[in-house]
Amino acid sequence: RGDLLTESTIIHALENGWLGHFVGDVFTPEPLPASSPLWHHAKVTVTPHNSAVTTPDDVVTAFAENLERYEAGGVGALKHIFGWEAGY
């Protein structure tokens, strides 16, 4: 999805009135660089890239699996880690 539209295409469509507002959650590159003009455009909303609703059972399952992974191999064995360097 992120490679279907370019930043310049989105901005061009907004500035020419062909598009009233753009909402996006997937970009190329991912994550969207801080230098992207989309972050500050009045007619753009950047949303988190969420693929599904999370239920309490899902959270418990993921936590239990990660606890086992941590006990067996430490932090390096964990899954679903937030990456400050990557921005997500």
Side-chain angles (χ1 to χ4, degrees):
R1 296 180 333 201
D3 60 353
L4 294 176
L5 297 169
T6 64
E7 283 186 20
S8 59
T9 301
I10 295 165
I11 292 171
H12 184 75
L14 289 167
E15 291 176 353
N16 286 288
W18 303 332
L19 186 62
H21 195 92
F22 176 79
V23 178
D25 70 334
V26 180
F27 303 92
T28 300
E30 182 82 17
L32 186 63
S35 60
S36 170
L38 295 176
W39 284 111
H40 305 289
H41 198 288
K43 295 181 179 180
V44 172
T45 302
V46 176
T47 65
H49 183 178
N50 296 324
S51 61
V53 174
T54 303
T55 66
D57 288 341
D58 294 336
V59 173
V60 169
T61 300
F63 179 83
E65 180 182 332
N66 258 353
L67 180 58
E68 289 177 14
R69 288 173 163 272
Y70 178 78
E71 290 173 339
V75 174
L78 298 176
K79 290 175 59 178
H80 315 296
I81 301 299
F82 181 89
W84 288 106
E85 310 80 35
Y88 57 89

